[in-house]
Each structure stands twice: as structure tokens, then as C-alpha cells.
Amino acid sequence: LDDGSRIELTVDIDEKTGNATFDFTGTGAQVLANHNTPPAVAYSAVIYCLRCLVGADIPLNQGCLAPVKFIIPKHTLLNPSVTAAVVGGNVLTSQRVVDVVLRTFNACAASQGCMNNFTFGDDEFGYY
């Protein structure tokens, strides 16, 4: 990310069973800014990438991730503590996770890295 935080990924695929492990060990620690993201966003980014890479239609549901194991260490950018800010992770960090997953498979990667988050509001109301 722009602040130097890293997203690390190792993927191990068992060719006999078809199971896969997405291991985010080495990903940077949670940050004080709001670029942290809950693990569900990483799961969504992975299933998005798998759907892009596989030559068949894959339904968009949790069951499709049954053969996928995730390792996302606690208190990292992708699995922060419950007190960490996470709003920017949905639109910024999620795109970087997609880039990292696609690059791991030697597919296209390094998009603009943002969903163009627009935040507006005043002293009493905020929305993005």
C-alpha cells in the first residue's frame, strides 16, 4: 500500500484433492489508518479472482470456498483487532488483495488499486 504496508501471499494447491491454501502470513501489521480490512474482504477478493481465472461458471456463494483454506494471522492488515478502523479496507485494500492474488497466478495485476472511494458528510453525518 502507499504507506509501505505489505500484503504477502503463498498459495498451495493439492492437485489430487483440488484443495487450496491461501496463506497471508507475512502481511503487514494492522495500521492506525482505516486501511485495515476484516477477513471476509480477503475471502471475497479470493473468490472473485478464482471466478476470473477458472474456465467455467462458478456460483457466487460461501460453498465455493469449501475446498479453500485461509491463513490470515491476527492483528494484521487483513485480520485486525476489533478496535481497528476498517472502512477504507473495503475499497482500497480489497483491490490490492485482488492484485496480489492475480499476480500469484501470473495473471494480470496491478490495477489502479482503488474503487475510487468518495466520502462526504458534515459534523453529524458521514457516508462513502
Side-chain angles (χ1 to χ4, degrees), residues 32-108:
L32 293 176
N34 65 357
H35 296 114
N36 305 295
T37 185
V41 172
Y43 304 157
S44 296
V46 168
I47 195 169
Y48 168 78
C49 291
L50 293 176
R51 293 178 80 218
C52 289
L53 294 169
V54 173
D57 288 338
I58 298 175
L60 185 56
N61 62 49
Q62 183 66 28
C64 294
L65 289 176
V68 178
K69 176 183 176 185
F70 288 89
I71 300 171
I72 307 176
K74 291 184 178 185
H75 304 288
T76 62
L77 193 64
L78 303 180
N79 190 3
S81 68
V82 296
T83 60
V86 296
V87 70
N90 293 340
V91 295
L92 299 171
T93 308
S94 64
Q95 296 304 291
R96 287 293 174 224
V97 174
V98 167
D99 287 341
V100 170
V101 172
L102 291 175
R103 180 154 188 194
T104 300
F105 286 97
N106 293 319
C108 63

Side-chain angles (χ1 to χ4, degrees), residues 19-35:
N19 293 342
T21 300
F22 284 73
D23 184 352
F24 289 92
T25 299
T27 292
Q30 69 186 39
V31 295
L32 293 176
N34 65 357
H35 296 114

